[in-house]
Amino acid sequence: MSKRISVFQRILQAPTLAATLACLLLSAHFLRLGQPGLTAAWAGMAALALSPWAFVRPVLCLALAAGALVWIDTGVNLLQFRLAAGLDWLRMAAILGGVSLFTLGSSVLMVRRAGQDAYPFWEERAAPMAAAFLLTAGLLGIVQAMAPLPLLLAERYLPGWGHAEIFLLSLYAAWICGLLLDPHKSPRVRPRIWLFFSVAFFLQLVLGLAGLERMLMTGKLHLPVPALIAAGPIYRGGGLFMAILFGISALLAGPAWCSHLCYIGAWDDQASRRSGRRPKPMTRTAWAVRAAIAAFAFLAAWLMRQLGVPVGVAVWSAAAFGLAGVGVMLLLSRRRGSMVHCTTYCPMGLAANLLGKLSPWRLRIDKDCGHCGKCAAACRYGALDGSAFTRGKPGLSCSLCGDCLPRCPHGFIRYSFPGVSSSTARAAFLVAMSVLHATFLGVARM
């Protein structure tokens, strides 16, 4: 079957036509209920059903199965109401029963050969992309339902529209996952989407400072200095939300928090790329300086609390620490080609590296490696020194960014996860990163 199929031809295929109509019916249902976000989300699913992307098939299969449950629940509620009111119920039951069966049948068509033929593009990436879409939708759906205050911007500015933003962020997660799965494109894609997240993060901060308080997490300003994730609660003696979020993210992503999710690290990455120099491995001196800076930051926060230092003084001290970090990026990272801020100055980088020891994700170097050093030229975290090849794994500063993988001409560097192949481990890791990235894009703000 040719992959070049027009939209009109796609509409005429049974799986596509059935799925589109089923999604539009669900969209109309939620429109009648006065839920604009779900109305838009199901309309988006109808549009997605007309696309050629293979990941759409498992997404539609599960979404339409859930849609059938919506119709069944609606039918049961209406049946109970009509029985209690003594009204006729047979025609209503027949209509909603037929719609439920049609929606479920549309789901079943997705798993048959006709459904597979209708969505041929990127078939080899379908499962990870679908997982990224569904996990993002599920995670943000839980946030939408359980958060004590609206976290999604759509819900803050347009109450009821949060599920539309969830649909768009889920689609974004699937898209970037598909791009990252290409090992040769990943080293170019990852810095760009990382920078995009950072720009979105700081744009919301700037707009919040300009008076749009809903752009801030709680309507109050917090300094965007990563060290405050831990130092802030130490000084305040409470307020552990960001620390808990960081800990959970680091446990899920390992040290990849530093190469995918940190809003400051993206700028250090850009600064290091401006030098044009080959990055160098971390030295013992750098590790000693790193430990000393982390100890100083956390000890200073504790001492300020014990001495009763005023909040204003503490804030200015934190701001000075953050500005010094910017200086490290401009003066050191930009000159050396390595991410000096992330690997030496930032206390949370060290915390992520240590917490990464509890994460199951790893990079491994095969024993057949010839030590050519091509991979080390791509490592801006200084994790690939001579001893790394002997040990069969990068150093502690490795952030699992994956930039080194396409540099190896023989594929001797690989992701690992207990019990699965290296290709499966890499795909699962990129799904996790895509989900966390899209989720952070939706909810992370100061």
Side-chain angles (χ1 to χ4, degrees), residues 221-233:
L221 176 64
H222 298 271
L223 289 177
V225 179
L228 292 182
I229 294 174

Side-chain angles (χ1 to χ4, degrees), residues 203-222:
L203 178 60
Q204 292 177 83
L205 176 61
V206 170
L207 292 174
L209 291 174
L212 300 177
E213 294 182 354
R214 281 179 286 186
M215 287 288 178
L216 304 175
M217 176 66 77
T218 61
K220 298 179 180 179
L221 176 64
H222 298 271

Side-chain angles (χ1 to χ4, degrees), residues 121-415:
F121 280 21
W122 277 5
E123 189 172 351
E124 70 283 359
R125 308 180 195 183
M129 292 175 69
F133 184 102
L134 294 168
L135 288 172
T136 302
L139 187 57
L140 288 174
I142 293 172
V143 170
Q144 171 84 344
M146 300 185 65
L149 71 161
L151 295 182
L152 296 170
L153 284 180
E155 196 67 36
R156 290 188 172 194
Y157 283 95
L158 298 169
W161 284 87
H163 285 94
E165 183 177 351
I166 290 175
F167 170 78
L168 292 175
L169 287 170
S170 302
L171 188 60
Y172 173 70
W175 176 62
I176 63 173
C177 182
L179 294 177
L180 290 171
L181 284 167
D182 186 334
H184 298 288
K185 291 182 179 180
S186 180
R188 297 192 302 272
V189 172
R190 181 191 62 83
R192 293 173 182 173
I193 63 173
W194 188 19
L195 182 62
F196 171 66
F197 162 69
S198 182
V199 169
F201 179 91
F202 280 103
L203 178 60
Q204 292 177 83
L205 176 61
V206 170
L207 292 174
L209 291 174
L212 300 177
E213 294 182 354
R214 281 179 286 186
M215 287 288 178
L216 304 175
M217 176 66 77
T218 61
K220 298 179 180 179
L221 176 64
H222 298 271
L223 289 177
V225 179
L228 292 182
I229 294 174
I234 293 173
Y235 170 74
R236 295 189 301 267
L240 296 173
F241 174 77
M242 286 300 296
I244 293 173
L245 181 62
F246 169 80
I248 294 174
S249 302
L251 289 174
L252 292 173
W257 189 87
C258 294
S259 58
H260 291 78
L261 305 174
C262 178
Y263 46 86
I264 288 290
W267 300 102
D268 196 31
D269 175 73
Q270 292 297 314
S272 67
R273 293 176 186 274
R274 295 294 183 270
S275 73
R277 295 185 179 183
R278 173 175 172 150
K280 295 182 179 179
M282 287 190 66
T283 63
R284 290 185 178 181
T285 301
W287 277 108
V289 171
R290 187 181 204 189
I293 292 175
F296 167 78
F298 300 144
L299 181 60
W302 181 80
L303 286 174
M304 286 183 180
R305 180 188 175 193
Q306 298 302 314
L307 297 174
V309 173
V311 173
V313 175
V315 169
W316 280 108
S317 299
F321 186 86
L323 290 173
V326 175
V328 170
M329 296 182 203
L330 296 176
L331 298 177
L332 298 179
S333 298
R334 194 168 183 271
R335 292 175 60 185
R336 297 186 179 182
S338 298
M339 297 173 63
V340 180
H341 175 276
C342 293
T343 59
T344 305
Y345 186 76
C346 178
M348 300 314 296
L350 178 59
N353 289 147
L354 295 175
L355 283 174
K357 290 294 184 180
L358 302 177
S359 171
W361 308 109
R362 295 287 187 273
L363 273 183
R364 291 289 183 252
I365 304 173
D366 290 346
K367 62 181 180 179
D368 295 327
C369 171
H371 303 188
C372 68
K374 291 182 179 179
C375 56
C379 183
R380 300 187 182 278
Y381 292 89
L384 291 171
D385 57 8
S387 62
F389 305 111
T390 304
R391 295 191 308 267
K393 59 181 180 180
L396 181 62
S397 61
C398 174
S399 69
L400 302 179
C401 70
D403 289 357
C404 55
L405 268 67
R407 292 296 187 95
C408 181
H410 305 291
F412 289 149
I413 305 180
R414 53 184 173 80
Y415 283 91

